[in-house]
Amino acid sequence: MRWVSVFSGVALLMAMAFFGGIWTGYKGTWPISALLEIKPYVRSLRQTGMLLRELSYHWRRPAIPDESYKAYIPELVPEGYLFVAKVALPEHMTVAQLIGSTGEVVHEWNLSYTELIDPSHSEVPAHDVMLMPDGSVIANFDDAQGLVRVSACGEPLWSRRDAFLHHSLARDEAGGIWTWESQGSAAAQNQKLIRFDEKTGDTLESIDLLDDVIRSELSGFTPFALPEGYSFKENTGYGNDDIFHPNDLEPLPSAMAAAFPAFDAGDLLISMRSIHMIAVIGRQDHLVKWAAYGPWRDQHDPDFQPDGSITVFSNNVGRRRSEVLRFVPGIFESISVVPAELPFFSGTQSKHQITADGNL
């Protein structure tokens, strides 16, 4: 009867493993939590040969050759330069480049977080990088506390790391720059809309998202898809607590204000990725003047346009096809700026710009 005991022991262990797996999966505890963290990196290694963060890459279509190429139609190239920021692998250090009209790199800025802000911290890529009129560059970093301005020669002019100053940077008409500020993580629930001095980095103006916007009126919870009296978790990170994920913030220029009669110059256009929300916040009263929730999904970079429309980069995570949409606030109609025969996809981050000559 010994084999019966062995069989019973094995069956008991299998049952314990089965129900234990169900329980840890339900609770999200170890070892399920560890396996879920490893899964995207294993997928990345299998598909790209590198360990990359989830949504930071896209499967290459088989028809696209694995080689460099360049398209150059001189009569369609506008005057001026193209300013871009790229992440250098495997170091994950950001390099900003100024590119001429024929594709040549005219100038470079190395934006190393370790060298410019915190030598004790591992390297992290910059999120937004802004070129200033004097050739200096301002950069922020979502994955670490920090904001820095470097000269045209790459020397630091000032830096700060008192908070997570993250996602978009938008310059206004009075020498101020708007961005998001939080503690604990760039994805925390306690966010602030701040304006800082481009010359010093010091904060000039601050609007608290929870206290000044959401809690400022009885209906403030509704636009942010929250039940009245919701208990916020401050200083939280990514995951289930990332209920807003603010990723853009920019003021309405006075030159465009007449095209947006419902808003005032200086009102703030914001983007909340987690709830697919784009909204305009009153600069003076901090109230939600207007909000909409689609057809964009997981969007980034809504921009005011001179014709009274707003354009937005719709990432469409999970759909393998991103879009740039144009719509007019208050009118439930939007059109895709990019033709359907030109498919593209960006699972995370992303910006867009419509130039003066109509190029995108």
Side-chain angles (χ1 to χ4, degrees), residues 258-320:
F260 295 89
F263 311 139
D264 298 312
D267 284 350
L268 300 166
L269 178 63
I270 67 172
S271 169
M272 299 281 164
R273 191 195 72 179
S274 293
I275 53 176
H276 317 296
M277 172 194 185
I278 295 173
V280 174
I281 307 297
R283 172 79 173 277
Q284 303 302 323
D285 58 18
H286 306 156
L287 299 181
V288 179
K289 290 189 172 183
W290 168 87
Y293 309 86
W296 47 85
R297 291 182 57 83
D298 316 293
Q299 77 288 335
H300 289 74
D301 191 35
D303 290 339
F304 290 114
Q305 299 298 340
D307 63 355
S309 67
I310 292 176
T311 54
V312 58
F313 192 107
S314 180
N315 294 75
N316 297 337
V317 174
R319 299 188 176 185
R320 298 291 174 187

Side-chain angles (χ1 to χ4, degrees), residues 88-133:
L89 297 175
E91 298 87 359
H92 285 90
M93 181 183 76
T94 299
V95 177
Q97 294 181 330
L98 195 66
I99 300 174
S101 59
T102 60
E104 77 281 8
V105 176
V106 177
H107 190 67
E108 281 192 347
W109 297 259
N110 291 327
L111 301 174
S112 168
Y113 180 86
T114 301
E115 295 177 9
L116 295 172
I117 297 181
D118 186 359
S120 66
H121 198 284
S122 58
E123 193 64 75
V124 294
H127 188 109
D128 203 3
V129 182
M130 174 181 287
L131 179 62
M132 303 297 289

Side-chain angles (χ1 to χ4, degrees), residues 158-238:
W158 53 256
S159 67
R160 55 183 287 189
R161 59 184 178 101
D162 56 307
F164 285 83
L165 298 138
H166 60 90
H167 284 89
S168 67
L169 297 167
R171 191 169 185 244
D172 64 21
E173 303 159 24
I177 297 178
W178 288 89
T179 192
W180 289 96
E181 177 187 297
S182 59
Q183 297 292 332
S185 162
Q189 295 179 15
N190 53 319
Q191 298 281 344
K192 293 181 179 179
L193 301 76
I194 72 157
R195 178 176 177 262
F196 65 87
D197 190 331
E198 62 183 42
K199 296 180 180 179
T200 65
D202 296 334
T203 297
L204 301 173
E205 186 175 347
S206 178
I207 301 173
D208 190 291
L209 178 66
L210 303 188
D211 293 336
D212 297 332
V213 179
I214 297 178
R215 293 174 173 145
S216 63
E217 57 174 336
L218 291 177
S219 60
F221 284 80
T222 303
F224 291 88
L226 296 171
E228 188 173 335
Y230 177 85
S231 179
F232 293 100
K233 300 176 183 178
E234 299 189 354
N235 300 329
T236 54
Y238 293 92

Side-chain angles (χ1 to χ4, degrees), residues 76-78 353-360:
L76 297 183
V77 178
Q353 180 184 7
I354 298 178
T355 59
D357 59 3
N359 285 344
L360 173 64

Side-chain angles (χ1 to χ4, degrees), residues 33-57 59 89-90 92 125 143 238:
S33 59
L35 292 174
L36 291 176
E37 290 180 3
I38 294 172
K39 181 180 177 180
Y41 292 97
V42 173
R43 184 188 300 117
S44 160
L45 185 64
R46 177 168 54 85
Q47 294 176 354
T48 70
M50 293 184 289
L51 294 174
L52 303 176
R53 292 182 298 175
E54 192 170 19
L55 298 179
S56 64
Y57 65 95
W59 292 328
L89 297 175
H92 285 90
D143 295 328
Y238 293 92

